[in-house]
Amino acid sequence: ITSYIKENKKNEVLADLKFFSTQIKEVKEFKNLLLSKVNYNDKQKAIEKTFSSVSKESVKVLLLIVKHNYTKKINKIIELVENLIFEESGAQRAVVSSVIAINDNQKQQLETILSEKLNNTIQVENIINKEIKGGLKVRISDTLIDVSIAGKINQLKNKLS
């Protein structure tokens, strides 16, 4: 998708995709339209009319997602586009899951440590996940570093079985 978007429009399209995702989640009629068996051309007309004030490139990307029936996967697509934009800029994004929010100092420390270890600029995004019980899970592209309590419990279960 990122090769489909003009270089200077990628962040704008990404922001619009997030807006579309919110609309899909919050506006039941919109979600129903996109997920229905309605003819693609009718969906296209409705999207173009509804989002006439949004950039044409953003609408084209949404239409591409709808055309290939990836509407339910829009959040994963957004995540992948974010990662690609980071990688193209020479940086990477680390998604850090924790039970409570990390503060700015902890975020900066994580960015510094990960940047040094990976020899690349790392931007940390924190996500709250109560299921990990404690500790952290760090995902950078396809790599997962699991130092969570839930992860340790699962490792112990696997060793015992």
Side-chain angles (χ1 to χ4, degrees), residues 21-56:
S21 175
T22 302
Q23 295 304 304
I24 292 167
K25 189 182 340 180
E26 294 177 358
V27 182
K28 188 176 181 178
E29 295 82 8
F30 182 54
K31 180 179 182 177
N32 290 342
L33 170 70
L34 297 183
L35 298 176
S36 72
K37 299 202 182 291
V38 171
N39 173 312
Y40 170 74
N41 291 331
D42 293 338
K43 290 179 185 180
Q44 180 180 3
K45 288 175 189 172
I47 290 168
E48 288 173 345
K49 182 178 179 183
T50 303
F51 297 109
S52 61
S53 62
V54 177
S55 79
K56 290 188 187 319

Side-chain angles (χ1 to χ4, degrees), residues 6 16 19 126 133 143:
K6 290 180 185 171
D16 289 340
F19 170 71
N126 185 215
K133 309 294 183 215
T143 303

Side-chain angles (χ1 to χ4, degrees), residues 7-154:
E7 189 63 38
N8 61 343
K9 297 282 189 176
K10 288 182 180 177
N11 288 322
E12 178 184 347
V13 170
L14 181 60
D16 289 340
L17 282 175
K18 289 178 181 180
F19 170 71
F20 294 145
S21 175
T22 302
Q23 295 304 304
I24 292 167
K25 189 182 340 180
E26 294 177 358
V27 182
K28 188 176 181 178
E29 295 82 8
F30 182 54
K31 180 179 182 177
N32 290 342
L33 170 70
L34 297 183
L35 298 176
S36 72
K37 299 202 182 291
V38 171
N39 173 312
Y40 170 74
N41 291 331
D42 293 338
K43 290 179 185 180
Q44 180 180 3
K45 288 175 189 172
I47 290 168
E48 288 173 345
K49 182 178 179 183
T50 303
F51 297 109
S52 61
S53 62
V54 177
S55 79
K56 290 188 187 319
E57 284 187 314
S58 298
V59 171
K60 284 181 186 177
V61 172
L62 177 60
L63 290 171
L64 186 67
I65 290 168
V66 171
K67 183 176 185 177
H68 294 285
N69 296 315
Y70 293 139
T71 304
K72 288 182 179 178
K73 297 180 181 184
I74 193 166
N75 290 325
K76 185 64 176 170
I77 292 168
I78 290 169
E79 181 183 331
L80 293 170
V81 169
E82 282 179 321
N83 289 338
L84 289 170
I85 289 172
F86 277 118
E87 288 174 14
E88 287 174 359
S89 72
Q92 286 183 291
R93 184 173 72 138
V95 178
V96 177
S97 299
S98 58
V99 174
I100 60 172
I102 60 174
N103 63 39
D104 289 340
N105 185 41
Q106 293 167 324
K107 181 179 174 184
Q108 182 60 47
Q109 287 178 342
L110 276 169
E111 287 176 345
T112 301
I113 291 167
L114 292 170
S115 294
E116 289 173 2
K117 294 282 184 195
L118 298 171
N119 199 24
N120 198 354
T121 303
I122 303 293
Q123 181 179 358
V124 169
E125 176 187 338
N126 185 215
I127 295 176
I128 307 304
N129 181 351
K130 302 283 184 192
E131 293 177 11
I132 65 172
K133 309 294 183 215
L136 301 172
K137 279 188 179 182
V138 181
R139 178 174 297 282
I140 304 170
S141 295
D142 294 336
T143 303
L144 176 66
I145 304 165
D146 187 351
V147 288
S148 68
I149 292 175
K152 297 294 181 193
I153 291 169
N154 285 335

